Amino acid sequence: MKVSTRGRYALRIMLDIALNGGDAPVSFKDVSNRQEISFKYMEQIGALLTRAGLLKSVRGAQGGYYLVHKPNETTVGSILRVTEGQLSPVACLEKGENTCPRSADCMTIPLWEKLNNAILDVLDNTTLQDLIDISKARHLITIDGADDGPGDGE
């Protein structure tokens, strides 16, 4: 599984809003500037995240976006499923139950199932809050949430 640019950007957008939102909506223009992501591309990703119920938009001069759920309730897996679709490493595991006609005789399926379970375990058990806490411990962000840079692991 390779996470696309859209997936990495979606995660950065959600983290930025989690850090800078508080009680007020966050302007995508501000997120775009902080994260160095094209505003037009952010709007496309924002629309996906809004349709998926992860973000809510507020119109008007003081409008912007805010998280629908708290950072400790929003998993990385829920975000990446919006942008990436299935997170399985092989096609035969994409629909949950393996329906491949070769599954009974496949010598590699135990490996793919183990890898799939490990990926899902990490992504579905890591929240935005976990990433914020790790970033604070690494001194990548200050206590007040100001972002020191746009890094996304590239």
Side-chain angles (χ1 to χ4, degrees), residues 34-76:
R34 281 189 296 267
Q35 296 300 320
E36 300 175 354
I37 299 172
S38 154
F39 182 75
K40 283 191 174 279
Y41 196 34
M42 270 193 49
E43 286 185 313
Q44 294 172 14
I45 296 169
L48 289 173
L49 295 169
T50 301
R51 276 196 303 272
L54 296 174
L55 286 181
K56 179 105 171 133
S57 64
V58 177
R59 295 182 181 266
Q62 301 301 315
Y65 290 81
Y66 62 90
L67 300 180
V68 172
H69 306 286
K70 295 176 184 175
N72 66 342
E73 299 171 346
T74 305
T75 66
V76 173

Side-chain angles (χ1 to χ4, degrees), residues 108-149:
T108 61
I109 196 64
L111 169 73
W112 303 131
E113 289 173 338
K114 186 175 180 180
L115 178 60
N116 187 52
N117 291 337
I119 290 170
L120 296 179
D121 183 54
V122 170
L123 298 179
D124 290 336
N125 290 296
T126 303
T127 66
L128 292 177
Q129 189 63 54
D130 294 330
L131 295 177
I132 290 168
D133 293 343
I134 291 166
S135 294
K136 284 181 182 178
R138 293 179 59 211
H139 305 290
L140 298 177
I141 55 176
T142 58
I143 299 303
D144 68 357
D147 184 33
D148 289 341

Side-chain angles (χ1 to χ4, degrees), residues 67-92:
L67 300 180
V68 172
H69 306 286
K70 295 176 184 175
N72 66 342
E73 299 171 346
T74 305
T75 66
V76 173
S78 68
I79 297 165
L80 292 182
R81 280 184 187 85
V82 172
T83 60
E84 309 302 305
Q86 293 294 325
L87 303 173
S88 301
V90 290
C92 61

